[in-house]
Amino acid sequence: MPGLVRRPLVVWLLAVVAVPVLLTAVLIPARAGTTEDDLRDRTAAALKARGIETNRIDFDGRDARIVVPAGVDEGTVRSIVTGVDGVRSVQIDGGVVATATGTPTAGVTPTPTAEATTGSTAPAGSGVPGFEVGRTDRAIRVQVPVRSQAVKDALAAEVDGVLGPDREYDDRTTIDPANGLTDATTLSALLRALAIGGGDASVRYDGDTVTLSGQVPDQATKATVGRAAAKAVPGAVLADELQLPAPAKTAVSEPCRTFQSRLATFGREYKINFLSGTSIVNEASKPAVVKAAALLKSCGTVRVEIAGHTDDLGSPATSLPLSERRAAAVKAELVRLGVGANRLLPHGYGESFPIATNDTGAGRIANRRAELRVVQGN
């Protein structure tokens, strides 16, 4: 009886192990075929999204083999395909294989990448050859190697769009199928930015540093050129040596140039004095206020201080506000006579700065005064 019990158990155990093995053997090839179809479809879609059409995309598991159409950059195709999720390696036209991880596939040599050879990511500006784009009053200059005649023609079309009627194209491009520029639009924003303004200006890239030099008309253009250079060579060192024009010197009119000396002469010849204890200009001084207005209107930009003063008959507590009222009264009269209020700064100084003795009537009249003087910084 014990022997009869063990045999069915052994049979069932063998069945439990064998069935999954058989199912795996049947399903794995089917799933592999499905995975290859999915990778092929997604690879074709990724290439098409970048404007690249090809009728030959084959997959062996996760390893792609692609025939590149004439005129299409192989490096661009490798970059696109290795970026497709699930792709392990890419072989272009049966040549060099690029792997998604940088690990060589069996029997082939992988394309070296910056990460594989240096242990770091690709340097700033990787893939952009050295170039110079410049402008003068008469020409726009482009000096750069390009990958093909098609790129050269496209670059000429970009330049033609910004030349204008007064400039010509100084074409210094050369064709270098291995290391040339692959896309004319790399420099399009830079060309548009440099076309603004006149004089000499240029942007040079030596493989490490982008140097901006020359003249630009204003700060906005300077910023635009800087952004365009950064876009053309992402991450490169930017040396901005662009110069803005020196601010134009404002021409000074003869009346303004001589204003200060004429005001000094006015102060010696004309006095503005007040009635005792008031802010009323005395009769003898009224013509001086009219003369002061004419002098101020001869130069409409200069600003002056109106300094009010008193004699010492009052107390300091009353003298200061009285001197301020006197300065304000002169300002009001000058404004009435046509002088801009924003050019007149009234200040009161009380009895602190006498110009004559307060022991005589004539001295006290002299001290009850207003004076005009040029504000520094005009």
PDB file of all heavy atoms in Angstrom, residues 180-208:
ATOM      1  N   GLY A 180      31.940  68.530 -40.352  1.00  0.00           N
ATOM      2  CA  GLY A 180      31.258  69.793 -40.600  1.00  0.00           C
ATOM      3  C   GLY A 180      29.959  69.948 -39.835  1.00  0.00           C
ATOM      4  O   GLY A 180      29.437  69.008 -39.221  1.00  0.00           O
ATOM      5  N   LEU A 181      29.428  71.159 -39.883  1.00  0.00           N
ATOM      6  CA  LEU A 181      28.142  71.473 -39.270  1.00  0.00           C
ATOM      7  C   LEU A 181      27.039  70.703 -39.985  1.00  0.00           C
ATOM      8  O   LEU A 181      26.982  70.674 -41.210  1.00  0.00           O
ATOM      9  CB  LEU A 181      27.884  72.979 -39.383  1.00  0.00           C
ATOM     10  CG  LEU A 181      26.707  73.562 -38.610  1.00  0.00           C
ATOM     11  CD1 LEU A 181      26.990  73.541 -37.113  1.00  0.00           C
ATOM     12  CD2 LEU A 181      26.438  74.999 -39.060  1.00  0.00           C
ATOM     13  N   THR A 182      26.150  70.085 -39.220  1.00  0.00           N
ATOM     14  CA  THR A 182      25.128  69.230 -39.821  1.00  0.00           C
ATOM     15  C   THR A 182      23.807  69.939 -40.081  1.00  0.00           C
ATOM     16  O   THR A 182      22.976  69.443 -40.818  1.00  0.00           O
ATOM     17  CB  THR A 182      24.847  68.016 -38.907  1.00  0.00           C
ATOM     18  OG1 THR A 182      24.370  68.489 -37.646  1.00  0.00           O
ATOM     19  CG2 THR A 182      26.099  67.186 -38.724  1.00  0.00           C
ATOM     20  N   ASP A 183      23.620  71.104 -39.469  1.00  0.00           N
ATOM     21  CA  ASP A 183      22.321  71.770 -39.578  1.00  0.00           C
ATOM     22  C   ASP A 183      22.525  73.284 -39.615  1.00  0.00           C
ATOM     23  O   ASP A 183      23.070  73.870 -38.678  1.00  0.00           O
ATOM     24  CB  ASP A 183      21.439  71.380 -38.384  1.00  0.00           C
ATOM     25  CG  ASP A 183      20.002  71.844 -38.546  1.00  0.00           C
ATOM     26  OD1 ASP A 183      19.730  72.652 -39.452  1.00  0.00           O
ATOM     27  OD2 ASP A 183      19.153  71.401 -37.752  1.00  0.00           O
ATOM     28  N   ALA A 184      22.073  73.922 -40.692  1.00  0.00           N
ATOM     29  CA  ALA A 184      22.259  75.368 -40.855  1.00  0.00           C
ATOM     30  C   ALA A 184      21.531  76.170 -39.784  1.00  0.00           C
ATOM     31  O   ALA A 184      21.947  77.275 -39.420  1.00  0.00           O
ATOM     32  CB  ALA A 184      21.785  75.807 -42.238  1.00  0.00           C
ATOM     33  N   THR A 185      20.437  75.619 -39.256  1.00  0.00           N
ATOM     34  CA  THR A 185      19.656  76.377 -38.275  1.00  0.00           C
ATOM     35  C   THR A 185      20.395  76.560 -36.953  1.00  0.00           C
ATOM     36  O   THR A 185      19.980  77.350 -36.122  1.00  0.00           O
ATOM     37  CB  THR A 185      18.308  75.689 -37.999  1.00  0.00           C
ATOM     38  OG1 THR A 185      18.544  74.353 -37.511  1.00  0.00           O
ATOM     39  CG2 THR A 185      17.462  75.624 -39.260  1.00  0.00           C
ATOM     40  N   THR A 186      21.518  75.828 -36.768  1.00  0.00           N
ATOM     41  CA  THR A 186      22.320  76.022 -35.560  1.00  0.00           C
ATOM     42  C   THR A 186      22.742  77.484 -35.414  1.00  0.00           C
ATOM     43  O   THR A 186      22.801  78.020 -34.309  1.00  0.00           O
ATOM     44  CB  THR A 186      23.575  75.124 -35.607  1.00  0.00           C
ATOM     45  OG1 THR A 186      23.173  73.751 -35.667  1.00  0.00           O
ATOM     46  CG2 THR A 186      24.455  75.336 -34.382  1.00  0.00           C
ATOM     47  N   LEU A 187      23.016  78.125 -36.555  1.00  0.00           N
ATOM     48  CA  LEU A 187      23.516  79.495 -36.524  1.00  0.00           C
ATOM     49  C   LEU A 187      22.454  80.530 -36.881  1.00  0.00           C
ATOM     50  O   LEU A 187      22.755  81.723 -36.944  1.00  0.00           O
ATOM     51  CB  LEU A 187      24.699  79.646 -37.489  1.00  0.00           C
ATOM     52  CG  LEU A 187      25.907  78.745 -37.230  1.00  0.00           C
ATOM     53  CD1 LEU A 187      27.004  79.032 -38.255  1.00  0.00           C
ATOM     54  CD2 LEU A 187      26.447  78.945 -35.819  1.00  0.00           C
ATOM     55  N   SER A 188      21.202  80.105 -37.113  1.00  0.00           N
ATOM     56  CA  SER A 188      20.191  81.047 -37.609  1.00  0.00           C
ATOM     57  C   SER A 188      19.893  82.153 -36.612  1.00  0.00           C
ATOM     58  O   SER A 188      19.821  83.338 -36.975  1.00  0.00           O
ATOM     59  CB  SER A 188      18.906  80.289 -37.989  1.00  0.00           C
ATOM     60  OG  SER A 188      18.385  79.594 -36.870  1.00  0.00           O
ATOM     61  N   ALA A 189      19.707  81.818 -35.321  1.00  0.00           N
ATOM     62  CA  ALA A 189      19.408  82.852 -34.327  1.00  0.00           C
ATOM     63  C   ALA A 189      20.580  83.809 -34.174  1.00  0.00           C
ATOM     64  O   ALA A 189      20.394  85.013 -33.986  1.00  0.00           O
ATOM     65  CB  ALA A 189      19.065  82.205 -32.984  1.00  0.00           C
ATOM     66  N   LEU A 190      21.789  83.281 -34.285  1.00  0.00           N
ATOM     67  CA  LEU A 190      22.983  84.114 -34.172  1.00  0.00           C
ATOM     68  C   LEU A 190      23.079  85.089 -35.338  1.00  0.00           C
ATOM     69  O   LEU A 190      23.418  86.262 -35.167  1.00  0.00           O
ATOM     70  CB  LEU A 190      24.205  83.212 -34.130  1.00  0.00           C
ATOM     71  CG  LEU A 190      25.509  83.786 -33.582  1.00  0.00           C
ATOM     72  CD1 LEU A 190      25.304  84.427 -32.228  1.00  0.00           C
ATOM     73  CD2 LEU A 190      26.546  82.687 -33.490  1.00  0.00           C
ATOM     74  N   LEU A 191      22.761  84.614 -36.541  1.00  0.00           N
ATOM     75  CA  LEU A 191      22.776  85.489 -37.715  1.00  0.00           C
ATOM     76  C   LEU A 191      21.766  86.618 -37.569  1.00  0.00           C
ATOM     77  O   LEU A 191      22.058  87.773 -37.875  1.00  0.00           O
ATOM     78  CB  LEU A 191      22.478  84.667 -38.974  1.00  0.00           C
ATOM     79  CG  LEU A 191      23.619  83.770 -39.462  1.00  0.00           C
ATOM     80  CD1 LEU A 191      23.108  82.753 -40.469  1.00  0.00           C
ATOM     81  CD2 LEU A 191      24.721  84.630 -40.088  1.00  0.00           C
ATOM     82  N   ARG A 192      20.567  86.285 -37.099  1.00  0.00           N
ATOM     83  CA  ARG A 192      19.533  87.323 -36.940  1.00  0.00           C
ATOM     84  C   ARG A 192      19.953  88.353 -35.898  1.00  0.00           C
ATOM     85  O   ARG A 192      19.744  89.549 -36.070  1.00  0.00           O
ATOM     86  CB  ARG A 192      18.202  86.677 -36.532  1.00  0.00           C
ATOM     87  CG  ARG A 192      17.528  85.915 -37.661  1.00  0.00           C
ATOM     88  CD  ARG A 192      16.082  85.593 -37.313  1.00  0.00           C
ATOM     89  NE  ARG A 192      15.979  84.709 -36.162  1.00  0.00           N
ATOM     90  CZ  ARG A 192      15.979  83.393 -36.228  1.00  0.00           C
ATOM     91  NH1 ARG A 192      16.086  82.794 -37.404  1.00  0.00           N
ATOM     92  NH2 ARG A 192      15.879  82.658 -35.142  1.00  0.00           N
ATOM     93  N   ALA A 193      20.579  87.895 -34.810  1.00  0.00           N
ATOM     94  CA  ALA A 193      20.986  88.824 -33.757  1.00  0.00           C
ATOM     95  C   ALA A 193      22.117  89.738 -34.226  1.00  0.00           C
ATOM     96  O   ALA A 193      22.108  90.944 -33.978  1.00  0.00           O
ATOM     97  CB  ALA A 193      21.418  88.047 -32.513  1.00  0.00           C
ATOM     98  N   LEU A 194      23.092  89.170 -34.937  1.00  0.00           N
ATOM     99  CA  LEU A 194      24.230  89.964 -35.385  1.00  0.00           C
ATOM    100  C   LEU A 194      23.869  90.932 -36.508  1.00  0.00           C
ATOM    101  O   LEU A 194      24.581  91.910 -36.739  1.00  0.00           O
ATOM    102  CB  LEU A 194      25.368  89.051 -35.846  1.00  0.00           C
ATOM    103  CG  LEU A 194      26.304  88.539 -34.764  1.00  0.00           C
ATOM    104  CD1 LEU A 194      27.333  87.606 -35.362  1.00  0.00           C
ATOM    105  CD2 LEU A 194      27.002  89.688 -34.059  1.00  0.00           C
ATOM    106  N   ALA A 195      22.793  90.662 -37.218  1.00  0.00           N
ATOM    107  CA  ALA A 195      22.403  91.544 -38.314  1.00  0.00           C
ATOM    108  C   ALA A 195      21.928  92.900 -37.811  1.00  0.00           C
ATOM    109  O   ALA A 195      21.859  93.872 -38.571  1.00  0.00           O
ATOM    110  CB  ALA A 195      21.307  90.888 -39.157  1.00  0.00           C
ATOM    111  N   ILE A 196      21.605  92.999 -36.517  1.00  0.00           N
ATOM    112  CA  ILE A 196      21.113  94.258 -35.947  1.00  0.00           C
ATOM    113  C   ILE A 196      22.271  95.227 -35.781  1.00  0.00           C
ATOM    114  O   ILE A 196      23.305  94.879 -35.233  1.00  0.00           O
ATOM    115  CB  ILE A 196      20.442  94.007 -34.587  1.00  0.00           C
ATOM    116  CG1 ILE A 196      19.266  93.046 -34.742  1.00  0.00           C
ATOM    117  CG2 ILE A 196      19.975  95.311 -33.960  1.00  0.00           C
ATOM    118  CD1 ILE A 196      18.694  92.562 -33.425  1.00  0.00           C
ATOM    119  N   GLY A 197      22.093  96.435 -36.240  1.00  0.00           N
ATOM    120  CA  GLY A 197      23.094  97.478 -36.036  1.00  0.00           C
ATOM    121  C   GLY A 197      24.148  97.495 -37.113  1.00  0.00           C
ATOM    122  O   GLY A 197      24.127  96.724 -38.082  1.00  0.00           O
ATOM    123  N   GLY A 198      25.111  98.428 -36.953  1.00  0.00           N
ATOM    124  CA  GLY A 198      26.193  98.577 -37.914  1.00  0.00           C
ATOM    125  C   GLY A 198      27.537  98.434 -37.237  1.00  0.00           C
ATOM    126  O   GLY A 198      27.634  98.145 -36.051  1.00  0.00           O
ATOM    127  N   GLY A 199      28.597  98.651 -38.025  1.00  0.00           N
ATOM    128  CA  GLY A 199      29.943  98.499 -37.484  1.00  0.00           C
ATOM    129  C   GLY A 199      30.369  97.045 -37.449  1.00  0.00           C
ATOM    130  O   GLY A 199      29.695  96.156 -37.969  1.00  0.00           O
ATOM    131  N   ASP A 200      31.520  96.795 -36.827  1.00  0.00           N
ATOM    132  CA  ASP A 200      32.077  95.447 -36.767  1.00  0.00           C
ATOM    133  C   ASP A 200      31.643  94.731 -35.492  1.00  0.00           C
ATOM    134  O   ASP A 200      31.722  95.295 -34.403  1.00  0.00           O
ATOM    135  CB  ASP A 200      33.605  95.495 -36.804  1.00  0.00           C
ATOM    136  CG  ASP A 200      34.133  96.018 -38.127  1.00  0.00           C
ATOM    137  OD1 ASP A 200      33.336  96.090 -39.081  1.00  0.00           O
ATOM    138  OD2 ASP A 200      35.326  96.352 -38.209  1.00  0.00           O
ATOM    139  N   ALA A 201      31.207  93.492 -35.645  1.00  0.00           N
ATOM    140  CA  ALA A 201      30.903  92.632 -34.500  1.00  0.00           C
ATOM    141  C   ALA A 201      31.049  91.193 -34.962  1.00  0.00           C
ATOM    142  O   ALA A 201      30.808  90.878 -36.134  1.00  0.00           O
ATOM    143  CB  ALA A 201      29.500  92.884 -33.964  1.00  0.00           C
ATOM    144  N   SER A 202      31.438  90.309 -34.057  1.00  0.00           N
ATOM    145  CA  SER A 202      31.604  88.909 -34.443  1.00  0.00           C
ATOM    146  C   SER A 202      31.405  87.991 -33.247  1.00  0.00           C
ATOM    147  O   SER A 202      31.515  88.409 -32.094  1.00  0.00           O
ATOM    148  CB  SER A 202      33.003  88.669 -35.032  1.00  0.00           C
ATOM    149  OG  SER A 202      34.006  88.818 -34.044  1.00  0.00           O
ATOM    150  N   VAL A 203      31.104  86.721 -33.570  1.00  0.00           N
ATOM    151  CA  VAL A 203      31.020  85.660 -32.576  1.00  0.00           C
ATOM    152  C   VAL A 203      31.899  84.520 -33.069  1.00  0.00           C
ATOM    153  O   VAL A 203      31.700  84.016 -34.182  1.00  0.00           O
ATOM    154  CB  VAL A 203      29.568  85.175 -32.378  1.00  0.00           C
ATOM    155  CG1 VAL A 203      29.535  83.979 -31.433  1.00  0.00           C
ATOM    156  CG2 VAL A 203      28.699  86.301 -31.849  1.00  0.00           C
ATOM    157  N   ARG A 204      32.870  84.118 -32.255  1.00  0.00           N
ATOM    158  CA  ARG A 204      33.798  83.047 -32.631  1.00  0.00           C
ATOM    159  C   ARG A 204      33.712  81.917 -31.610  1.00  0.00           C
ATOM    160  O   ARG A 204      33.658  82.174 -30.406  1.00  0.00           O
ATOM    161  CB  ARG A 204      35.237  83.573 -32.675  1.00  0.00           C
ATOM    162  CG  ARG A 204      35.487  84.620 -33.725  1.00  0.00           C
ATOM    163  CD  ARG A 204      36.968  85.014 -33.794  1.00  0.00           C
ATOM    164  NE  ARG A 204      37.475  85.480 -32.516  1.00  0.00           N
ATOM    165  CZ  ARG A 204      37.334  86.707 -32.064  1.00  0.00           C
ATOM    166  NH1 ARG A 204      36.666  87.606 -32.776  1.00  0.00           N
ATOM    167  NH2 ARG A 204      37.831  87.062 -30.890  1.00  0.00           N
ATOM    168  N   TYR A 205      33.748  80.678 -32.127  1.00  0.00           N
ATOM    169  CA  TYR A 205      33.766  79.503 -31.257  1.00  0.00           C
ATOM    170  C   TYR A 205      34.986  78.679 -31.625  1.00  0.00           C
ATOM    171  O   TYR A 205      35.172  78.300 -32.788  1.00  0.00           O
ATOM    172  CB  TYR A 205      32.490  78.691 -31.437  1.00  0.00           C
ATOM    173  CG  TYR A 205      32.481  77.394 -30.657  1.00  0.00           C
ATOM    174  CD1 TYR A 205      32.717  77.372 -29.288  1.00  0.00           C
ATOM    175  CD2 TYR A 205      32.234  76.180 -31.289  1.00  0.00           C
ATOM    176  CE1 TYR A 205      32.711  76.191 -28.574  1.00  0.00           C
ATOM    177  CE2 TYR A 205      32.214  74.986 -30.583  1.00  0.00           C
ATOM    178  CZ  TYR A 205      32.458  74.995 -29.229  1.00  0.00           C
ATOM    179  OH  TYR A 205      32.454  73.818 -28.521  1.00  0.00           O
ATOM    180  N   ASP A 206      35.852  78.385 -30.636  1.00  0.00           N
ATOM    181  CA  ASP A 206      37.094  77.655 -30.900  1.00  0.00           C
ATOM    182  C   ASP A 206      37.056  76.212 -30.409  1.00  0.00           C
ATOM    183  O   ASP A 206      38.092  75.561 -30.303  1.00  0.00           O
ATOM    184  CB  ASP A 206      38.281  78.390 -30.271  1.00  0.00           C
ATOM    185  CG  ASP A 206      38.161  78.514 -28.746  1.00  0.00           C
ATOM    186  OD1 ASP A 206      37.219  77.924 -28.167  1.00  0.00           O
ATOM    187  OD2 ASP A 206      39.006  79.204 -28.134  1.00  0.00           O
ATOM    188  N   GLY A 207      35.867  75.718 -30.098  1.00  0.00           N
ATOM    189  CA  GLY A 207      35.738  74.368 -29.567  1.00  0.00           C
ATOM    190  C   GLY A 207      35.635  74.336 -28.067  1.00  0.00           C
ATOM    191  O   GLY A 207      35.288  73.308 -27.479  1.00  0.00           O
ATOM    192  N   ASP A 208      35.900  75.483 -27.426  1.00  0.00           N
ATOM    193  CA  ASP A 208      35.836  75.558 -25.969  1.00  0.00           C
ATOM    194  C   ASP A 208      35.104  76.823 -25.506  1.00  0.00           C
ATOM    195  O   ASP A 208      34.241  76.762 -24.652  1.00  0.00           O
ATOM    196  CB  ASP A 208      37.258  75.543 -25.385  1.00  0.00           C
ATOM    197  CG  ASP A 208      37.243  75.668 -23.871  1.00  0.00           C
ATOM    198  OD1 ASP A 208      36.490  74.920 -23.233  1.00  0.00           O
ATOM    199  OD2 ASP A 208      37.993  76.512 -23.330  1.00  0.00           O
TER     200      ASP A 208
END
